[in-house]
Amino acid sequence: MKLSPLQIARYEYKPKLPGMLRNGIAEISVKVGEKTSSVADQEKIAALFPNTYGKEEITFEKGENTSVAKVRKVGVILSGGQAPGGHNVICGLYDALKATNKENELYGFKGGPSGLINDDYVVFDDEFINQYRNTGGFDIIGSGRTKLEKEEQFEVVVEVCKKHGITAIVIIGGDDSNTNAAVLAEYCAAHNTGIQVIGCPKTIDGDLKNEDIECSFGFDTATKTYSELIGNIERDANSAKKYWHFIKVMGRSASHVALECALKTQPNICLVGEEVADKKMSLSRIADYIADSVNARADKGDNFGVAIIPEGIVEFVPEFSVLIAEINELLAGKKTDEFNALPSWEEKYAFIEKGLTPESMKVFAILPVGIQQQLFLERDPHGNVQVSLIESEKLFSALVKDKLAARKKAGTYKGKFSPLHHFFGYEGRCAFPSNFDADYCYSLGYNACMLIQYGYTGYLSKVSNLSKPAEQWVAGGMPITKMMNIERRNGEDKPVIRKALVELDGNPFKYFCAHRESWAVNTEFTYPGAIQYYGPAEVCDITTVTLALEKE
Amino acid sequence: MKLSPLQIARYEYKPKLPGMLRNGIAEISVKVGEKTSSVADQEKIAALFPNTYGKEEITFEKGENTSVAKVRKVGVILSGGQAPGGHNVICGLYDALKATNKENELYGFKGGPSGLINDDYVVFDDEFINQYRNTGGFDIIGSGRTKLEKEEQFEVVVEVCKKHGITAIVIIGGDDSNTNAAVLAEYCAAHNTGIQVIGCPKTIDGDLKNEDIECSFGFDTATKTYSELIGNIERDANSAKKYWHFIKVMGRSASHVALECALKTQPNICLVGEEVADKKMSLSRIADYIADSVNARADKGDNFGVAIIPEGIVEFVPEFSVLIAEINELLAGKKTDEFNALPSWEEKYAFIEKGLTPESMKVFAILPVGIQQQLFLERDPHGNVQVSLIESEKLFSALVKDKLAARKKAGTYKGKFSPLHHFFGYEGRCAFPSNFDADYCYSLGYNACMLIQYGYTGYLSKVSNLSKPAEQWVAGGMPITKMMNIERRNGEDKPVIRKALVELDGNPFKYFCAHRESWAVNTEFTYPGAIQYYGPAEVCDITTVTLALEKE
């Protein structure tokens, strides 16, 4: 295997731990805080988690380590999409386990939760672990999207753990995976298995955060990578002065990623799904909003610009959601075959026209043909429209083009409009973790070991005060049930960790609102450049603008 | 304007000059070398450039500066597409001019060559220049694609220069722009205008190089940026283990960019246009070549991979070039209207079927519908197919999909194939220049001033020995005519700088060939990570693998 110079150099990086974890394992004591209760639906959640509900928040501090000394075997899995820093969570966990007792062992189950069920694992040693320090990706053991949520699965998990003598599992995942971690923890406690379960908050999407978890890991590195590219494109736009770039960024439903990138790069336009939903904006209104910026800039002679489009935007447009639901209905079951049998697009179009309500047909009719065809031709195994595949960057640029054509006809717009399209997602999920993510993840893993050592279960590894230097970070744990409420999922009431959407009264969005009118018309681009791992601290170690504004 | 932390930090960077230029202006003397002759067609070129042909190569060395001391006004333009480091060429030129004589002035003509013709300019001062040190983009004065090649234009240029008292022009551009710089130099010399013209070799495409010019600036930064992204995607592919990524990279006709990225990232597949042309490979054969890799990896259980596709690839496929020519013919003049009037794609298809030769129709028929429609629906102002817009990454993945379906039917392939597509171009043209490009460009500009100071014209600023530390770089100048030959362009014989394609017997391609069979089947990805500006020299200061191999 040929290693890049950066990878070789990054092996030498020593992640920064929170100050209170820096005195060696023997000097880490527990401070037990207040008992917790869930953020909503307390009675229901308490009833569902009789053995793990209501436990105390805990923090670590410098003091005598009073945890039980025994040899431990711990299992770890990576769950869901990649996020930079996952390797470091495992490295931190491994180092803390070995520092506690050289006989301790860490099992990495391969390919996500299914590895735990299939008993497919590797036992880590120094040589193996050292190849992955401060690197991106989840390739150390792979990841997967199997959901660990059913009793039959839990039985197998317990069986596998007992076979190896594993007494604790660390689950590195997003909101769903950590919800499931809490359910597994409750199962293990209820059945007196002696198995602890600890979660770690992962996702580049930034939607796993709350009053306890300041941010999920990976969000910092991914948004820095996307912002590098957006900044480079802004500089290109401002040099060539002839293209409008429509840039879609990953992030699933929530618009945290798009907003953070906008705060870093100051583009002309950034759509925010949560605002679109709140204001019940139609596609036409959104297109007009963008066209206003194109128009105002063209009036100044600037026929170029940059617009950021969050991946999940279309789900937030009320009329579009209705259209999608109708299409799913229209093609349900055997109707798909009937539709597919129609020989030409013209005949298919007539079929669609007959099947949709007039309101939805009006929405459908304004879509560019490419998107129309995509909605009908590329469906998931259940026959549903694949919303995440919709090229919304092309959708909006096409709608804007129509708006501008109408304005030109009316004599109110005289510019040129040449759009280009980009989608950034896979580029950022496996970047080398920023110093922040390298430090944060290593700390999360190290801290998870301490939670295990002190006997906790159903807890999320918690490191906070993250907008400050690592020395001042606070390490501890929070019962996962504390973050839960009851939500309707697939027709059932389920206890889940509340997904964090962009808060329209939060500081990051308010800051954006205070500046976006000026950004829309003027050229106030900011160019962040590539992530730096060396050099001045203000270039290398500072985390997101979102967190800085939230902590103001 | 809000500056990013990196931009503020980069302002402080002091670009490294070649050792021989580090002793101060007073200590730079000229060493005159051999008289030169053009690489081919010597008599024709000599006849076309009677005043500037056959001059000596020159190098600078430490020694008494014997140049004529007088106050100078110099003009500079950026020509063509953006390349990282353009700002530093101007900064180096400015600093050398001011160090020579504080009264010297640098005029920046705006928006490319047209700025020179329209007399649209800015006179630089410290405050202005300092905002652009070590930054990406061409936004300092903008660029443009107007060609400066006609006598009428030259007359205007001379007039503008005389008006301001400008006695030298520096043209920062690619092969065409530098060809035109030589023609302008000859014109100015023939007409005793007293105006010198110096060129600087710019292009991210890497196709302006020869035995004198080791590389054009911007190639280093752009390929590092693309390789960062390709490496991140490779790591994602190797973590998720379920996608094949087809990645198109910019670079116009030549495959230098794709090849350099492949040397840095070791993907499973990298197409090289020059090889495709040499072996006269058909689309079908290329698709089979890729499918072989997909197939072999699937047999090992690896249903994922990465393929790099150079932007210019389709131009090199003989049968495809023929198809494009036939389509252009088929839609020439009024036939476009006839075609556009056909109401459905089915009828258009019938029109195409009737119009193409059976051979070309066979090629056309295997293309995915999206590409078929693109070829006919999106044409340039002259009605020609826009080859550069062809989504060749999607073209090849669709062809591979067909190949795999046939193999599955035949029972020789049992894998899954889920392709994803990317195109990287605008992301790299305006990145903050790498230390190499920052140093190289600053040196090119500084050196251009020395060439002016010593009275040279029709020269390209030349800095060589670039695979070594900057201390050992060699600064000098080479007559542009030395790099010229006669080529047929638009039905005319023209003196031009020979465009450099990938040499199939050169070291970079040979190294690639020696490894690609293993890369195609195994997972030997290398992850370069983001460009670093600080930290260990082996991470920050080393230029391309291409140059290292060429200098072996």
Side-chain angles (χ1 to χ4, degrees), chain B residues 322-526:
Chain B
V322 173
L323 171 65
I324 298 296
E326 286 192 25
I327 292 175
N328 287 339
E329 189 57 38
L330 187 58
L331 297 179
K334 292 204 174 153
K335 285 183 271 181
T336 297
D337 300 334
E338 191 188 328
F339 177 79
N340 289 341
L342 298 170
S344 75
W345 175 245
E346 284 71 20
E347 286 165 86
K348 287 186 162 83
Y349 196 92
F351 175 96
I352 295 163
E353 205 157 15
K354 224 179 71 192
L356 296 179
T357 61
E359 294 72 34
S360 284
M361 191 57 211
K362 229 170 106 184
V363 177
F364 187 75
I366 65 164
L367 302 178
V369 178
I371 305 271
Q372 287 180 338
Q373 297 186 338
Q374 198 180 22
L375 289 176
F376 275 88
L377 303 179
E378 295 171 23
R379 294 195 302 282
D380 74 11
H382 310 288
N384 291 322
V385 172
Q386 299 194 65
V387 178
S388 70
L389 290 187
I390 294 172
E391 297 184 300
S392 43
E393 68 282 20
K394 291 188 181 166
L395 167 62
F396 285 108
S397 94
L399 297 178
V400 169
K401 198 170 187 175
D402 291 345
K403 292 285 181 190
L404 294 171
R407 292 178 187 204
K408 190 159 260 178
K409 224 170 162 183
T412 55
Y413 166 71
K414 291 178 178 61
K416 280 182 201 169
F417 179 66
S418 302
L420 290 172
H421 307 97
H422 312 263
F423 169 44
F424 298 134
Y426 300 94
E427 293 78 358
R429 306 196 312 174
C430 288
F432 284 88
S434 62
N435 288 354
F436 172 81
D437 271 327
D439 298 346
Y440 180 39
C441 289
Y442 189 84
S443 300
L444 285 172
Y446 201 94
N447 190 56
C449 175
M450 289 303 108
L451 291 169
I452 292 166
Q453 191 62 22
Y454 275 102
Y456 292 97
T457 189
Y459 275 66
L460 207 57
S461 179
K462 174 179 167 177
V463 177
S464 51
N465 208 27
L466 296 170
S467 60
K468 294 289 189 313
E471 169 68 36
Q472 298 170 44
W473 289 358
V474 179
M478 182 61 76
I480 299 174
T481 52
K482 152 83 158 65
M483 303 162 201
M484 287 183 157
N485 64 358
I486 300 285
E487 291 180 21
R488 198 86 187 155
R489 297 268 174 101
N490 300 319
E492 269 183 89
D493 277 346
K494 289 258 185 187
V496 296
I497 297 177
R498 202 182 253 174
K499 201 183 268 297
L501 295 176
V502 170
E503 289 177 11
L504 301 183
D505 58 355
N507 280 344
F509 185 73
K510 272 162 47 186
Y511 181 94
F512 171 67
C513 286
H515 292 85
R516 65 175 161 183
E517 280 172 41
S518 175
W519 297 352
V521 179
N522 304 310
T523 301
E524 300 183 31
F525 300 153
T526 298

Side-chain angles (χ1 to χ4, degrees), chain B residues 104-159:
Chain B
N104 285 346
E105 281 187 325
L106 182 61
Y107 285 60
F109 289 93
K110 293 183 184 174
S114 64
L116 195 45
I117 291 174
N118 302 329
D119 195 18
D120 184 11
Y121 66 93
V122 60
V123 181
F124 295 113
D125 60 21
D126 286 354
E127 197 189 354
F128 191 105
I129 280 280
N130 288 343
Q131 294 175 62
Y132 293 93
R133 292 186 186 273
N134 309 303
T135 58
F138 276 8
D139 43 305
I140 186 169
I141 45 173
S143 183
R145 294 189 184 272
T146 304
K147 287 192 190 305
L148 214 56
E149 53 186 354
K150 292 182 195 141
E151 285 236 350
E152 311 88 84
Q153 295 174 313
F154 295 163
E155 282 168 26
V156 179
V157 167
V158 170
E159 206 175 293

Side-chain angles (χ1 to χ4, degrees), chain A residues 4 138 236 239 427 429 527, chain B residues 4 138 232 236 239 429 527:
Chain A
S4 72
F138 277 9
D236 201 283
S239 298
E427 293 78 359
R429 307 197 312 176
Y527 314 118
Chain B
S4 72
F138 276 8
N232 288 357
D236 201 283
S239 299
R429 306 196 312 174
Y527 314 119

